[in-house]
Amino acid sequence: MKNEHVSAGGFRHNGQGLSPRPASTRGQKASALWMLVLALATGWSLPAGADEAVPADTAPRWWKGNLHTHTLWSDGDDFPEMVAEWYRTRGYHFLALSDHNVLAVGNRWMAEQTVRKRGGDEVVDKYLARFGPAWVERRGEGEKAAIRLKPLAEFRCLVEERGRFLMIPAEEISDRAAGKPIHTNASNIVEPIQPVGGRTVVEAIQGNLRAVRDQAERAGQEIVAHLNHPNFGYAVTPADLAQATLEQHFEVFNGHPAVNQRGDDEHPSVEMFWDIANTIRLDELHAAPLFGIATDDSHDYHSHPGEPKASRPGRGWVLVRATHLTPEHIVRALKQGDFYASSGVAVREVAFDESARALRLEIEPAGDATYTTRFIASFAATDDQPARIGVEVATATGLTASYRLTGEELYVRARVTSSEPPHDPCWEGQRAEAWTQPVGWRAGVAGRQ
Ligand SMILES: [Zn+2]
Ligand SMILES: [Zn+2]
């Protein structure tokens, strides 16, 4: 709220909230009467700008969020409201806490010993310092001392802000198939989804996605799922993910240092994985391509940049274009591919002009960084040669870049690379990047399956 608009009503902004202003009763009555007259005369209900977090003439804008996060509810090392606070105070607009096979609901106590073992000796003190003894619930003494993990329904009121910060209920459905970890995030769920398993990787992926779809239908609620870290344990192959056509999203970037983001001698990088899977889908299956999400998969909130192997917050996120900061608007935009993934580069505009068949980007500058945009495409197999996958078809430097499709491409996408590293790199030599979604493919696909 802005001070000048509310002061007429007898309140002033003190920097922390609204507090009564000493004013004469007569003055208050006069100003209240004046406001009523004005309201009746103009049909006006709120002073313009006083409620700018949710304007009526909403235009689409970018909302920053992380869809993959852990807390003490599973194997993270901090309290859920402390984790939410980390993101809220760093410019994020939405957050999905996605603990393994659990939703933060009901009454759950954890031994303080366990909490300290996870988060270090100061973890409880930090929690107390932030939210105070009236909020933190403890019971028992000595070895029996326990602390309550608050459910989302109780703590979301503490961190959410209309039009500014939103919590989205989520879970990491953590399954195994053929001895391999198959993890799928489901965002905006109403109740936990138990992993369904399967004889093969594809069966498990599809089975869990059917469970997500069933819940969405039962609840009448939009839920979005995405496959996590395909190279973790090299569990999923590009062919698996291509065939699991219920899957529409996957993690093109995951900030956990143990997920083999760059592949190895025998496995493609996750980015090349994306191009292989999408080429199989478009060239052979005539199925829609996968959209790429970036996430933190954060577990460790008490280590610092430079300390190796921790999965810290703030490394991967999505920017979603929507008119409103509500779970449904965020989920719908994700489903439509109206978002990009980032590990540190901000894009001001990304637009695909269907009639001109052109993909155009405008990059948000940051400090002295310079930017290189690579346009990457795949091409169908012909009688003479196999499919060409993940080919760099054009490169541009500077803050704007565009590419006009020739008509030969199965799709094109863009990756922007900064000259600068991200603030907390996952590996030596990492550069901040952004990934836009594949475009130019819709004509070849009958519809999403
Ligand atoms: Zn996982
Ligand atoms: Zn995870």
Side-chain angles (χ1 to χ4, degrees), residues 68 70 98 100 172 183 185 228-229 297 299:
H68 190 165
H70 297 279
S98 56
H100 298 282
E172 180 169 8
H183 295 183
N185 265 42
N228 301 321
H229 45 59
D297 199 357
H299 294 71

Side-chain angles (χ1 to χ4, degrees), residues 337-361:
D338 206 356
F339 69 98
Y340 69 90
S342 178
S343 64
V345 169
V347 175
R348 193 177 288 166
E349 175 69 311
V350 50
F352 179 57
D353 183 333
E354 288 276 0
S355 55
R357 306 286 294 163
L359 174 61
R360 187 176 56 79
L361 276 82

Side-chain angles (χ1 to χ4, degrees), residues 51-265:
D51 214 12
E52 77 278 7
V54 189
D57 56 343
T58 47
R61 50 157 293 181
W62 295 113
W63 305 99
K64 179 178 179 178
N66 175 36
L67 293 168
H68 190 165
T69 327
H70 297 279
T71 75
L72 285 167
W73 275 89
S74 65
D75 57 352
D77 71 1
D78 211 344
F79 296 91
E81 59 272 53
M82 291 293 278
V83 175
E85 193 67 351
W86 192 98
Y87 287 91
R88 190 188 69 82
T89 55
R90 284 167 177 81
Y92 286 73
H93 300 107
F94 65 91
L95 176 67
L97 300 178
S98 56
D99 279 303
H100 298 282
N101 297 338
V102 69
L103 248 188
V105 290
N107 215 11
R108 173 104 177 259
W109 292 80
M110 188 174 254
E112 283 204 20
Q113 279 182 338
T114 313
V115 173
R116 288 177 204 281
K117 218 167 163 182
R118 289 257 199 101
D121 284 339
E122 289 165 17
V123 60
V124 176
D125 292 340
K126 288 183 193 170
Y127 184 37
L128 277 165
R130 177 60 193 86
F131 290 108
W135 175 260
V136 176
E137 292 174 77
R138 306 167 88 173
R139 71 181 182 197
E141 300 279 327
E143 287 192 359
K144 293 227 166 94
I147 193 156
R148 184 160 176 251
L149 302 187
K150 305 259 190 185
L152 176 62
E154 285 184 33
F155 74 78
R156 68 189 310 168
C157 323
L158 221 59
V159 293
E160 286 189 317
E161 253 185 288
R162 183 175 69 169
R164 296 210 171 85
F165 191 72
L166 172 77
M167 298 297 299
I168 300 178
E171 173 192 351
E172 180 169 8
I173 306 168
S174 307
D175 206 350
R176 288 191 80 78
K180 298 189 177 124
I182 310 297
H183 295 183
T184 301
N185 265 42
S187 298
N188 201 32
I189 54 175
V190 290
E191 55 190 29
I193 295 169
Q194 291 314 306
V196 302
R199 283 164 304 169
T200 65
V201 167
V202 175
E203 226 177 81
I205 295 174
Q206 296 280 81
N208 288 311
L209 291 172
R210 268 185 219 105
V212 170
R213 193 179 60 188
D214 290 350
Q215 182 176 119
E217 280 171 9
R218 265 199 323 275
Q221 184 161 309
E222 303 253 9
I223 302 175
V224 65
H226 77 260
L227 185 92
N228 301 321
H229 45 59
N231 271 358
F232 174 52
Y234 293 112
V236 183
T237 67
D240 290 335
L241 196 53
Q243 284 160 40
T245 51
L246 288 174
E247 190 74 83
Q248 298 174 0
H249 300 81
F250 94 124
E251 283 175 353
V252 66
F253 179 87
N254 174 307
H256 197 302
V259 298
N260 300 311
Q261 185 69 34
R262 293 173 293 164
D264 63 15
D265 291 346

